[in-house]
Amino acid sequence: MSDVCIVGAGIHPFGRTEGLDGMDQGVYAVKQALADTSIAWEDVEFAFGGSSASGAADTMVSQLGLTGIQFINVSNGCATGGSALNAAASAIKSGEYELGMAVGFDKHPRGAFNADPAAYGLPNWYGEAGYMLTTQFFGAKIMRYLHENGLSTEALGRVSEKAFRNGAKTDHAWRRSEVDLETIMNAPLISDPLNKYMFCSPAEGAVALILASEKKAKELGGPMIRLKTSVMRTRPPGSFEVFAASIDNERGGTATELAAKAAFEQAGMGPEDIDVAQLQDTESGAEIMHMAENGFCPHGDQEKWLIEGRTEINGALPVNTDGGCLACGEPIGASGLRQVYENVIQLRGTAGEHQVPGDPKTAYTQVYGAPGVAAVTILQR
Amino acid sequence: MGAQPIADNLFTDDNMTALVGARNKQTGQIFFPLPLTPNDNIEPIALATRGTVWTYTVQRFPPKTPYAGPADPVNFKPYVVAYVSLPGQTMVESRLTGVEPEDVKIGMEVEFTAIPLDPDAPADQQIMIHAFQPV
């Protein structure tokens, strides 16, 4: 089987862009990625793509060119981008194709995601009585996690503080201003213990990645960024997911734990081998839980790590170097691919102001979301 | 017509003394609420009325639709949403009542009750939802 390399990466800056719909931003990202690879759209043999709220990805051929390309739409909730990448990588590994693309884009209205109980198999009373809010789930989940692991709410504030500090240095980020810890801790609560600086917002943005076989990547000549593994997993029994009217007394593992374990096995590496990591931070608590679920630190050590600055850009394991979802916002279809984009520029050494020092060689991404899905990638230069 | 439950098949009886859960006859797993569509493998079961708070959060802003309770941003009163562990059964997502958000503790003992979705509605028009209160 051929190794798969990421030979080009393009992004439409995250945030709010008046006058451009989600699909337009997707097309913009594709053009950036083609230019980055020094290839033409006609050279791309296949594509996988998706969005949650901005239409069918394959229709972007009308803007990019009617080359007759195989273009398959992916719809996998929060793992849409990760699944598109996974499928594109498989198509190359199989030997069927040499050069292809994964693209994700979205544009969501302001405010929390609106959800319809029936779409989740729930009775109407669940929404009428005031339970149909993703923010409640995040609050309740991290409330328990902090309690079980002896962590303080200040740890949540430290994650946000770092996110905004990194976002301020990142061109593609949405939130570009630092916020100090005291301001964060004194902000109004949204869903205890999480306050308004601790949640990411639905947003807009797009990412496109060009993938190639090892042979093709050598021909193209750029830096060899190898996609060592790309894994997607669904939840095991006893996980704690959004919109659950009940959960089992007996607690179980998580989709992230399954994906992380499989990814490290496939890559022949362990958490100690990773130089930089992008971890799902829908809210501050998610980054904290995911530091442990991905195996980077024991449960309960996160606050110590944050206080010691181990996850800062110049720390032992930089986490969310572009400010993550907290600073970039979350366009669902694009979010997982943004993490990979960030790792590509980190491994190339072209991240500029937010570049991780020390010439990083390995980079990790993890996305997690509804309804209990996780996707992990490991890149190596 | 007096106060009405927010939905059929939610409470065990007209006095709303307990919640109706679901039991999978093959696996023994108990969950809540009853599925929307009938299933031969699922039987209704009365859920326990005493339990402990496993975790909780506070809804600090008025929810958008489909929320049917009072959502006026000026007078909105934050409410506590908890997962209450019912021994040997399941953990039920439920509002807590009779306790201020600041006083809720994980591990707190609570008992079942029913409360009006809008306490300011006339008594004969009240819609009742499930809740737990400190013992």
Side-chain angles (χ1 to χ4, degrees):
Chain A
M1 279 197 306
S2 168
D3 256 11
V4 177
C5 297
I6 298 183
V7 292
I11 194 163
H12 184 283
F14 280 35
R16 298 254 169 244
T17 310
E18 299 297 330
L20 278 191
D21 66 22
M23 184 81 69
D24 294 336
Q25 296 181 40
V27 169
Y28 178 97
V30 172
K31 289 179 176 169
Q32 295 286 313
L34 294 171
D36 183 51
T37 324
S38 301
I39 58 169
W41 172 242
E42 288 70 21
D43 299 323
V44 178
E45 297 168 1
F46 72 96
F48 286 86
S51 83
S52 162
S54 293
D58 67 299
T59 60
M60 67 167 60
V61 295
S62 63
Q63 293 189 61
L64 290 166
L66 301 177
T67 59
I69 184 176
Q70 168 185 297
F71 200 133
I72 295 176
N73 295 330
V74 179
S75 175
N76 217 173
C78 296
T80 293
S83 295
L85 181 64
N86 189 314
S90 295
I92 290 173
K93 268 191 286 192
S94 74
E96 189 179 359
Y97 292 107
E98 297 281 343
L99 188 68
M101 179 179 82
V103 59
F105 54 91
D106 253 315
K107 184 182 182 101
H108 305 291
R110 282 163 210 280
F113 290 108
N114 246 345
D116 171 22
Y120 287 82
L122 289 161
N124 287 333
W125 68 256
Y126 189 81
E128 292 163 3
Y131 297 105
M132 204 72 203
L133 293 105
T134 55
T135 40
Q136 285 178 8
F137 159 70
F138 291 118
K141 190 170 183 177
I142 192 61
M143 184 74 87
R144 179 69 196 185
Y145 191 85
L146 296 180
H147 173 82
E148 272 181 10
N149 294 285
L151 300 167
S152 82
T153 53
E154 198 170 83
L156 301 170
R158 288 182 190 281
V159 169
S160 300
E161 186 189 28
K162 173 174 69 66
F164 298 129
R165 186 157 53 232
N166 294 352
K169 298 173 182 161
T170 303
D171 289 339
H172 65 251
W174 180 15
R175 314 282 187 202
R176 303 294 309 275
S177 313
E178 295 194 23
V179 184
D180 64 76
L181 186 58
E182 193 186 341
T183 304
I184 291 169
M185 293 311 293
N186 290 320
L189 288 159
I190 300 286
S191 221
D192 302 23
L194 299 166
N195 71 35
K196 73 164 198 170
Y197 283 116
M198 299 173 182
F199 278 102
C200 83
S201 302
E204 307 169 14
V207 176
L209 300 171
I210 310 287
L211 285 75
S213 64
E214 189 174 7
K215 175 169 155 280
K216 186 77 183 173
K218 280 182 179 149
E219 280 172 33
L220 289 166
M224 298 288 282
I225 309 285
R226 289 169 200 276
L227 179 62
K228 296 301 287 182
T229 184
S230 164
V231 173
M232 187 269 169
R233 288 290 184 272
T234 53
R235 66 193 187 283
S239 73
F240 185 3
E241 308 298 346
V242 71
F243 303 144
S246 68
I247 54 176
D248 293 345
N249 276 317
E250 192 178 326
R251 308 308 310 139
T254 70
T256 293
E257 287 169 345
L258 298 183
K261 185 167 180 289
F264 281 125
E265 276 173 16
Q266 287 178 19
M269 293 184 197
E272 65 285 355
D273 297 318
I274 300 298
D275 294 333
V276 53
Q278 317 299 334
L279 306 179
Q280 178 78 30
D281 60 336
T282 322
E283 35 77 36
S284 302
E287 179 172 316
I288 288 175
M289 291 184 281
H290 293 151
M291 286 165 68
E293 286 183 28
N294 287 288
F296 294 114
C297 75
H299 292 283
D301 279 10
Q302 294 97 328
E303 190 157 8
K304 182 168 171 277
W305 274 48
L306 286 159
I307 290 168
E308 291 175 2
R310 290 204 215 179
T311 54
E312 298 286 342
I313 285 174
N314 59 1
L317 178 71
V319 171
N320 291 336
T321 45
D322 66 354
C325 291
L326 289 169
C328 294
E330 189 176 30
I332 291 177
S335 208
L337 294 180
R338 173 190 50 75
Q339 297 178 323
V340 180
Y341 173 89
E342 170 66 10
N343 278 347
V344 168
I345 62 174
Q346 288 290 347
L347 295 183
R348 287 177 177 175
T350 58
E353 234 190 310
H354 68 292
Q355 176 66 46
V356 168
D359 196 20
K361 295 277 195 302
T362 53
Y364 185 96
T365 71
Q366 171 250 345
V367 59
Y368 161 78
V373 294
V376 167
T377 72
I378 298 175
L379 302 187
Q380 186 173 46
R381 179 170 56 83
Chain B
M1 206 171 82
Q4 293 293 310
I6 193 166
D8 296 337
N9 300 321
L10 179 60
F11 300 104
T12 49
D13 60 301
D14 290 347
N15 293 327
M16 297 177 256
T17 48
L19 285 172
V20 178
R23 183 178 172 278
N24 184 313
K25 288 191 252 181
Q26 285 166 350
T27 65
Q29 188 199 23
I30 293 170
F31 56 95
F32 168 81
L34 272 180
L36 294 172
T37 46
N39 181 327
D40 287 345
N41 285 327
I42 302 293
E43 61 184 5
I45 177 177
L47 292 180
T49 55
R50 286 280 285 259
T52 53
V53 173
W54 184 73
T55 191
Y56 71 97
T57 187
V58 184
Q59 179 59 38
R60 294 279 178 182
F61 62 90
K64 293 190 272 196
T65 54
Y67 183 57
D72 162 32
V74 180
N75 299 316
F76 177 75
K77 195 170 177 301
Y79 55 88
V80 179
V81 171
Y83 280 89
V84 175
S85 174
L86 306 174
Q89 292 189 328
T90 186
M91 292 200 261
V92 168
E93 189 178 17
S94 171
R95 289 207 194 189
L96 295 188
T97 188
V99 57
E100 291 303 315
E102 291 66 36
D103 298 329
V104 178
K105 295 273 179 290
I106 288 175
M108 182 179 243
E109 261 199 86
V110 289
E111 64 185 2
F112 181 77
T113 186
I115 58 169
L117 179 58
D118 179 1
D120 295 328
D124 63 343
Q125 288 172 27
Q126 277 179 347
I127 309 254
M128 304 300 283
I129 61 172
H130 69 285
F132 282 78
Q133 61 190 2
V135 174

